[in-house]
Amino acid sequence: MQKQQTLSRNQKIIFDLIDKSPEPMKAYSILFNVQKKGIKAPLQVYRALDKLIEIGKIHKIESRNAFIACQNSSCQISKATAFSICESCENVSEISNSKLSKYLSNFADMSGMKYNKYNLEFFGLCKKCKSK
Amino acid sequence: MQKQQTLSRNQKIIFDLIDKSPEPMKAYSILFNVQKKGIKAPLQVYRALDKLIEIGKIHKIESRNAFIACQNSSCQISKATAFSICESCENVSEISNSKLSKYLSNFADMSGMKYNKYNLEFFGLCKKCKSK
DNA sequence: TAACGCTATGTAATAATATAACATTTACAT
DNA sequence: ATGTAAATGTTATATTATTACATAGCGTTA
Ligand SMILES: [Zn+2]
Ligand SMILES: [Zn+2]
Ligand SMILES: [Zn+2]
Ligand SMILES: [Zn+2]
């Protein structure tokens, strides 16, 4: 069990919004949605995002510049992330596959590099979009 | 053997620059470096980058918004990319490991999704930075 | 309590990254 | 030579992210 973090006010507002969203949210869309709660500036959003990423509550989908709530609430895998992304409807889901994460966490090549983090993004067509 | 693409003028100028660079280059740094050759606007750079990515001559390092020449000249793997990134010196190199690419290309989970592309980024400390 | 360190917040300005819209030119196959 | 797709040129603008500086809250401990 990971230590339960207490979120600050802005962090909680922004996490709740992302967590409720069915799709990854972009920073300025987040900003727009929380302005009525008093968060008015980009920096306030980015600071909260940075913190939420650091503690593993959300992840950034790098290829989309968007943010998604962690879908593996019971485990700390912010340093080992994998996503599947539909290139048609842009649906994104976090892959939670212990064989995959074991394989990648143990991956070593000849570079002499010690990896402590990875991010993997798969692209394709989701079930729905495939059958269209 | 992949079909040899003929690069257009702008594409060639920009590819040569990236290919000579020891590190990934950012779009506006590319722009700055090719202005003396008549490429004056961001869009000219981005168009060439898009094309070069499409044909697999370069890759985008998503976590860095930077572009690197493909280091696997003999094979077409623009749809299956893996990189190792040093978080200290920002050195980036393309991983060419057939077991890894086979494993990931064949990866399937319960989502019913057919993947046709992936991008993997490993982070850590390179040999040099580790020994400091 | 007061002083301190640390985290979070507020605000304005600006930097960095990327695309839209439109006009023109080039390559090249018929 | 004509049609068509690809590439280019140009201006403006959209989107994403950070710098710099000031202020406020909160727990520790002198
Ligand atoms: Zn997660
Ligand atoms: Zn889909
Ligand atoms: Zn490559
Ligand atoms: Zn290094």
Side-chain angles (χ1 to χ4, degrees):
Chain A
M1 290 294 266
Q2 68 182 300
K3 186 183 157 199
Q4 184 62 26
Q5 289 276 155
T6 306
L7 300 183
S8 74
R9 181 175 156 276
N10 287 2
Q11 288 159 15
K12 183 160 181 4
I13 290 170
I14 287 172
F15 174 72
D16 287 346
L17 178 66
I18 297 172
D19 194 36
K20 272 182 305 202
S21 170
E23 67 232 356
M25 293 195 73
K26 306 208 138 210
Y28 278 71
S29 153
I30 293 168
L31 175 58
F32 179 79
N33 276 277
V34 296
Q35 276 179 330
K36 48 183 172 287
K37 303 215 174 186
I39 296 175
K40 291 174 192 158
L43 189 48
Q44 293 174 291
V45 172
Y46 281 106
R47 281 196 288 225
L49 291 174
D50 285 349
K51 188 67 186 185
L52 290 168
I53 288 169
E54 184 193 324
I55 63 179
K57 301 277 288 180
I58 66 170
H59 306 300
K60 181 174 185 181
I61 310 299
E62 293 286 356
S63 65
R64 300 297 186 260
N65 296 320
F67 303 86
I68 191 176
C70 177
Q71 288 162 33
N72 299 283
S73 55
S74 63
C75 57
Q76 165 65 28
I77 62 161
S78 61
K79 303 207 153 184
T81 48
F83 303 95
S84 91
I85 302 171
C86 176
E87 289 183 300
S88 169
C89 70
E90 292 294 325
N91 177 71
V92 174
S93 65
E94 188 167 358
I95 294 173
S96 159
N97 181 298
S98 60
K99 276 188 189 170
L100 177 66
S101 59
K102 227 169 254 175
Y103 183 87
L104 292 176
S105 297
N106 293 327
F107 180 78
D109 59 7
M110 284 137 295
S111 70
M113 198 152 156
K114 167 73 186 124
Y115 301 120
N116 57 42
K117 195 169 116 191
Y118 69 78
N119 179 56
L120 171 60
E121 297 180 3
F122 280 109
F123 305 89
L125 291 178
C126 74
K127 231 172 179 171
K128 268 187 206 166
C129 293
K130 217 169 27 180
S131 61
K132 272 177 193 163
Chain B
M1 290 291 268
Q2 68 184 297
K3 186 183 158 200
Q4 183 63 25
Q5 289 277 155
T6 307
L7 301 184
S8 73
R9 181 175 157 275
N10 287 3
Q11 289 159 14
K12 183 160 181 6
I13 289 170
I14 287 172
F15 174 72
D16 287 346
L17 179 66
I18 296 172
D19 193 37
K20 274 182 305 202
S21 171
E23 67 231 356
M25 292 195 73
K26 306 208 138 207
Y28 277 71
S29 155
I30 292 168
L31 176 58
F32 179 80
N33 277 277
V34 296
Q35 276 178 331
K36 47 183 172 286
K37 304 216 172 186
I39 297 174
K40 292 173 191 158
L43 191 48
Q44 294 174 289
V45 172
Y46 281 106
R47 282 197 285 226
L49 291 174
D50 285 349
K51 187 69 186 184
L52 291 168
I53 288 170
E54 184 193 325
I55 63 179
K57 300 279 287 180
I58 66 169
H59 305 301
K60 180 173 185 181
I61 309 300
E62 293 285 359
S63 65
R64 300 298 186 261
N65 296 320
F67 304 86
I68 190 175
C70 177
Q71 287 162 35
N72 299 283
S73 54
S74 62
C75 57
Q76 166 63 29
I77 61 162
S78 61
K79 303 206 154 183
T81 47
F83 303 95
S84 91
I85 302 171
C86 176
E87 289 184 300
S88 170
C89 69
E90 292 295 324
N91 177 73
V92 174
S93 65
E94 188 168 357
I95 295 173
S96 159
N97 181 297
S98 60
K99 275 188 190 170
L100 176 66
S101 58
K102 227 169 257 176
Y103 183 88
L104 292 175
S105 296
N106 293 326
F107 180 78
D109 59 9
M110 285 136 295
S111 70
M113 198 153 157
K114 167 75 186 121
Y115 302 120
N116 57 41
K117 195 169 117 190
Y118 69 77
N119 179 56
L120 170 60
E121 297 181 3
F122 280 109
F123 304 90
L125 292 178
C126 73
K127 230 172 179 173
K128 269 187 204 166
C129 293
K130 217 169 28 180
S131 60
K132 272 175 192 164

